[in-house]
Amino acid sequence: MGSQLDDRALKAPLEAEAGAIRQRNERDILDAAERVFSRHGYRGASLKLIAEEAGLPKSNVLYYMGSKKALYVRLLEGVMERWNMMLDDISVDDDPAEVLSAFIRSKMEMSRRHPEASRLFAGEILQGAPFLQDYLRGELRDWVESRAEVFRQWAERGLMDPVDPISLIFLIWSATQHYADFQSQVAGITGHDDFTDEDMQRVTDFLIQVVLKGCGVRSSSAP
């Protein structure tokens, strides 16, 4: 009995270390894939390029991700999950002004920190979303509809105007991703190659003002 306990005690640190190594390698591969797919597109990218970018053998990429297609789809789905995390747990009892403001701020910050991810997703959609049809028509459609229902209930309670909630979600997605997807256009028109913290704060505040005012959002905490 004591020997078995000793074996488990010895194995536990090794298993923990192996798990940490796997998590680190998967994160490195996904980060590298985001950069490579963003630069070269799906067809132009290769597992060899991704492995070189990640500083790992190609065999490791295959071991952790399975295939180029599996890696690409996992990356794209992860982008959407990361973008929409702020709306995951909303309910009709939440304050719509706080929820929408936080969602816009988080999306703007994500676009700033991960512009390659935004451009990668935009490129996939412009190609007709050949690798994301099941996700778009299934999991993401259900996600959008469940959030849209909360927006409808807010409208019924008089907390916002009865706007089309799905169009509102599309509007926020497109407005917050514009500064990453069309970075060259933004830089050319504004003369700012790199937006400062103050620039992003100003744009974010503007988008929040336009969305909240345009949708007639009223705080649930207002008297």
Side-chain angles (χ1 to χ4, degrees):
M1 182 68 175
S3 177
Q4 292 178 346
L5 290 175
D6 290 342
D7 288 343
R8 286 198 293 268
L10 289 171
K11 287 180 181 179
L14 296 176
E15 291 174 352
E17 182 180 359
I21 291 172
R22 181 184 184 92
Q23 288 182 350
R24 183 172 64 249
N25 285 344
E26 288 189 357
R27 184 67 267 163
D28 289 345
I29 292 168
L30 288 169
D31 288 345
E34 187 175 284
R35 295 190 293 270
V36 172
F37 281 126
S38 176
R39 288 196 297 262
H40 301 285
Y42 180 78
R43 292 185 179 181
S46 68
L47 292 179
K48 180 176 182 294
L49 281 174
I50 293 168
E52 290 174 353
E53 184 79 13
L56 294 168
K58 179 181 174 181
S59 58
N60 279 33
V61 178
L62 285 169
Y63 174 75
Y64 288 116
M65 300 299 169
S67 67
K68 174 180 166 180
K69 178 182 177 182
L71 171 56
Y72 183 69
V73 171
R74 177 174 171 179
L75 185 62
L76 288 168
E77 292 181 354
V79 169
M80 288 302 297
E81 290 170 3
R82 189 166 62 198
W83 279 346
N84 296 324
M85 191 178 300
M86 284 300 301
L87 288 184
D88 270 351
D89 299 320
I90 65 170
S91 76
V92 68
D93 296 322
D94 292 327
D95 187 322
E98 292 180 1
V99 169
L100 293 174
S101 296
F103 184 44
I104 292 170
R105 289 191 190 282
S106 69
K107 282 287 282 89
M108 286 293 291
E109 185 63 20
M110 287 290 182
S111 290
R112 185 183 185 188
R113 291 189 177 190
H114 305 280
E116 297 93 350
S118 186
R119 289 192 286 269
L120 170 66
F121 190 84
E124 168 68 12
I125 298 302
L126 288 172
Q127 294 298 317
F131 294 98
L132 280 183
Q133 283 301 318
D134 290 343
Y135 176 71
L136 296 177
R137 297 175 183 275
E139 182 179 339
L140 187 58
R141 176 185 286 177
D142 293 342
W143 184 94
V144 169
E145 180 53 38
S146 65
R147 275 70 195 168
E149 179 57 30
V150 173
F151 293 177
R152 294 187 190 100
Q153 292 184 52
W154 282 340
E156 290 173 2
R157 293 177 58 189
L159 298 177
M160 63 186 294
D161 293 344
V163 299
D164 178 355
I166 295 178
S167 294
L168 174 58
I169 292 172
F170 287 159
L171 173 65
I172 294 173
W173 280 348
S174 61
T176 54
Q177 288 156 225
H178 179 90
Y179 291 86
D181 298 346
F182 298 94
Q183 190 175 43
S184 298
Q185 180 195 57
V186 172
I189 292 173
T190 64
H192 296 173
D193 290 333
D194 293 308
F195 263 30
T196 64
D197 291 342
E198 291 76 16
D199 291 329
M200 290 304 294
Q201 184 65 51
R202 174 179 50 79
V203 172
T204 301
D205 290 343
F206 166 77
L207 290 176
I208 291 172
Q209 179 185 15
V210 168
V211 169
L212 297 191
K213 187 171 183 179
C215 294
V217 173
R218 291 166 286 280
S219 174
S220 60
S221 60

